[in-house]
């Protein structure tokens, strides 16, 4: 049994190791033995906290999705405009390209949200692994549904805020949020499949143009 008081840290280490293994070996290639090896603990410790691979996968998926919400919430300030809030949101859920392969996955807030990090390539691989698995797994579907519904609600509130302040022209904030998030998910798949836009740019500009469209429409009226 793990030492008393070590539970939060050990759980975090196991979750980070799980995400690392899924990124490296895929969902099917991730095993409790590999996770234990990367976490620097015994397989028994992994099983003690997470029982089995299915439960560990669910908890890792929750932590992966929660990572984005935590990062966005920590960076959005009440003094920001709606446009600035949307920029923060997009910067986190569709990260600009960077070569940060030397960094390690850390989705735990134990040492501060500023220390939380998922390298660019790992984000794409994890997204596809979890999303494809969720298509056939009801438990993972529920995790995705809960997280994305919360995201939709948060983005819709930003659109509402922009509409109230006159910065954005949004007739239906929930639909605007739905369109933006659906676009992000689709562009994420295209990134992993290495399908760039015809102009060769980072495809995130498509989301940025979508948001700018609401600002332009207000100015044109």
């Amino acid at each position: 049994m793990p030492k008393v008081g070590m539970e939060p840290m050990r759980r975090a280490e196991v979750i980070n190791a799980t995400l690392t293994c899924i990124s490296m070996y895929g969902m099917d290639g991730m095993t409790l033995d590999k996770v234990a090896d990367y976490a620097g603990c015994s397989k028994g410790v992994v099983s003690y906290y997470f029982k089995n691979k299915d439960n560990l996968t669910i908890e890792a998926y929750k932590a992966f999705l929660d990572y984005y919400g935590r990062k966005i919430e920590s960076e959005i300030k009440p003094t920001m405009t709606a446009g600035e809030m949307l920029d923060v949101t997009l910067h986190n859920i569709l990260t600009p390209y960077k070569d940060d392969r030397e960094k390690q996955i850390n989705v735990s807030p134990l040492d501060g949200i500023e220390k939380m990090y998922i390298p660019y390539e790992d984000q794409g691989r994890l997204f596809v692994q979890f999303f494809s698995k969720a298509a056939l797994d009801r438990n993972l579907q529920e995790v995705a549904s809960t997280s994305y519904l919360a995201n939709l609600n948060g983005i819709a509130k930003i659109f509402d805020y922009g509409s109230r302040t006159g910065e954005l022209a949004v007739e239906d904030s929930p639909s605007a949020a739905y369109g933006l998030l659906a676009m992000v998910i689709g562009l994420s798949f295209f990134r992993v499949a290495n399908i760039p836009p015809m102009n060769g740019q980072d495809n995130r500009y498509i989301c940025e143009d979508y948001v700018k469209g609401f600002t332009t429409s207000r100015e044109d009226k």
Side-chain angles (χ1 to χ4, degrees):
M1 182 178 294
K3 294 181 181 179
V4 176
M6 289 290 290
E7 179 173 351
M9 182 182 300
R10 184 58 82 189
R11 286 178 65 92
E13 291 170 346
V14 171
I15 289 294
N16 286 334
T18 301
L19 293 173
T20 299
C21 288
I22 292 174
S23 180
M24 293 179 66
Y25 306 110
M27 196 77 75
D28 293 333
M30 181 270 287
T31 66
L32 298 189
D33 286 313
K34 288 177 181 175
V35 169
D37 185 48
Y38 276 91
C41 65
S42 68
K43 181 179 177 180
V45 169
V46 177
S47 299
Y48 174 79
Y49 287 124
F50 298 100
K51 308 302 181 187
N52 52 50
K53 180 177 176 177
D54 287 342
N55 188 53
L56 178 58
T57 300
I58 291 171
E59 294 303 316
Y61 192 23
K62 289 179 181 178
F64 173 66
L65 293 176
D66 285 348
Y67 164 85
Y68 296 96
R70 290 179 186 273
K71 297 292 282 188
I72 292 169
E73 289 177 6
S74 71
E75 295 177 21
I76 285 183
K77 309 300 179 187
T79 55
M80 287 180 172
T81 65
E84 290 171 335
M85 292 179 181
L86 288 171
D87 284 344
V88 168
T89 301
L90 286 177
H91 183 84
N92 281 282
I93 62 177
L94 197 64
T95 308
Y97 173 78
K98 62 182 71 174
D99 187 355
D100 52 3
R101 286 170 288 183
E102 78 286 353
K103 294 192 175 184
Q104 296 182 333
I105 294 174
N106 176 29
V107 295
S108 169
L110 290 178
D111 293 325
I113 293 178
E114 68 280 359
K115 297 290 184 63
M116 297 173 68
Y117 198 82
I118 304 179
Y120 178 85
E121 290 188 359
D122 290 308
Q123 289 191 40
R125 288 195 291 260
L126 288 168
F127 172 79
V128 170
Q129 285 292 320
F130 280 122
F131 213 82
S132 59
K133 190 73 172 180
L136 301 174
D137 188 310
R138 184 172 296 278
N139 290 323
L140 292 180
Q141 286 176 17
E142 291 178 358
V143 173
S145 176
T146 299
S147 178
Y148 285 126
L149 285 173
N151 291 339
L152 286 170
N153 184 54
I155 295 172
K157 287 182 178 178
I158 296 176
F159 276 118
D160 275 337
Y161 172 61
S163 182
R164 291 196 307 272
T165 60
E167 182 186 355
L168 303 175
V170 186
E171 296 182 1
D172 185 348
S173 293
S175 292
Y178 193 96
L180 181 59
L181 190 56
M183 197 176 298
V184 167
I185 292 171
L187 292 174
S188 296
F189 270 113
F190 271 31
R191 280 183 167 189
V192 177
N194 194 26
I195 306 175
M198 297 300 292
N199 59 18
Q201 294 185 45
D202 184 332
N203 66 15
R204 70 191 314 276
Y205 83 87
I206 296 172
C207 284
E208 293 171 342
D209 286 350
Y210 175 82
V211 171
K212 289 177 183 176
F214 291 102
T215 303
T216 301
S217 61
R218 170 71 73 178
E219 293 172 350
D220 289 344
K221 289 185 176 182

